Amino acid sequence: MPERNLEFGKLGARGAKGSELVARKLDELAGYVATPISQRRGLMARLRYLTRTDHARLAAREAGLTVTDRTLRAWLAGERSPSRKNMERIEQAYRAVRRHNVARHLLKRLNREGRGTRVEIHPLNQSQVSRPHQRVVPYRTMNVRNWDGIVDSWATSDDQGLDDAWTDGVLPDLGSDYGAYEYCTAVGFAA
């Protein structure tokens, strides 16, 4: 049974943790506001999303946006602009609330009533590794039937939990050489 890579990249291999690539793909599927927060339109879209209901306001406060209602009204009215620090908090709160709101829907789409979702795993890039140290790591596809741990960890921004759910919960289904896929160049799936 392979262990986790402790010194990834020591011989020149390149790639990213598979769990990070899964998180990026889930972020892509979540459908965030495309306009950057630095533009007025992007800021207003995020503020409206965070303040449209009492539930959203409460979730925004829990996610770290702790300004007064008066300040929020001034931002929405365009009377004041948030500081750079507050813009970062707005972005973080928006992403946290959006992840929470989308998680249940994504989980249903990915699990597909037990049928799961097909996942493509592209192996790490060994082009910079010297020839004697290279190994054959083929492109793999697999069907992931249980996304609960992955989506729950992603929704709560628990990177370690997501890594554990991916590396210990999904990759062993690839067989005895699953440790070769802890780091990869791409992980793709559609929901």
Side-chain angles (χ1 to χ4, degrees):
M1 177 167 118
E3 296 293 327
R4 291 187 181 221
N5 293 300
L6 299 176
E7 297 181 88
F8 178 74
K10 180 178 181 181
L11 299 174
R14 292 181 292 184
K17 279 193 162 222
S19 59
E20 291 174 10
L21 297 172
V22 169
R24 288 182 204 163
K25 184 63 178 173
L26 289 171
D27 281 339
E28 182 183 314
L29 292 172
Y32 297 117
V33 173
T35 308
I37 194 168
S38 57
Q39 294 181 5
R40 179 96 180 128
R41 179 179 178 184
L43 174 64
M44 288 298 107
R46 286 165 177 80
L47 287 175
R48 277 190 230 103
Y49 188 84
L50 293 171
T51 60
R52 67 178 179 212
T53 64
D54 291 335
H55 174 72
R57 279 193 172 116
L58 179 62
R61 290 203 190 288
E62 289 173 1
L65 186 62
T66 57
V67 295
T68 64
D69 289 337
R70 179 179 175 187
T71 303
L72 275 175
R73 281 192 304 271
W75 289 346
L76 286 166
E79 297 168 0
R80 282 192 269 165
S81 297
S83 66
R84 183 173 306 227
K85 187 175 179 182
N86 279 330
M87 296 219 350
E88 290 172 7
R89 286 182 183 155
I90 292 167
E91 182 66 26
Q92 290 172 354
Y94 167 71
R95 287 188 174 270
V97 171
R98 181 71 180 161
R99 281 181 171 190
H100 175 75
N101 290 345
V102 171
R104 191 176 71 230
H105 175 68
L106 268 179
L107 187 60
K108 184 177 179 183
R109 284 175 47 192
L110 291 168
N111 280 337
R112 292 182 352 152
E113 299 174 354
R115 292 188 310 269
T117 299
R118 197 86 174 144
V119 176
E120 296 178 355
I121 303 173
H122 298 265
L124 52 96
N125 182 347
Q126 299 183 68
S127 63
Q128 301 298 314
V129 177
S130 64
R131 188 64 78 189
H133 292 104
Q134 287 185 5
R135 59 188 285 197
V136 176
V137 184
Y139 156 85
R140 299 288 297 264
T141 61
M142 65 184 295
N143 199 23
V144 178
R145 296 188 193 295
N146 186 358
W147 289 86
D148 295 358
I150 295 167
V151 173
D152 289 343
S153 297
W154 169 77
T156 59
S157 298
D158 178 11
D159 295 334
Q160 184 60 48
L162 179 61
D163 188 47
D164 291 342
W166 179 254
T167 306
D168 298 334
V170 173
L171 291 184
D173 291 344
L174 290 172
S176 62
D177 197 27
Y178 73 89
Y181 297 92
E182 181 182 356
Y183 288 87
C184 39
T185 55
V187 173
F189 53 91

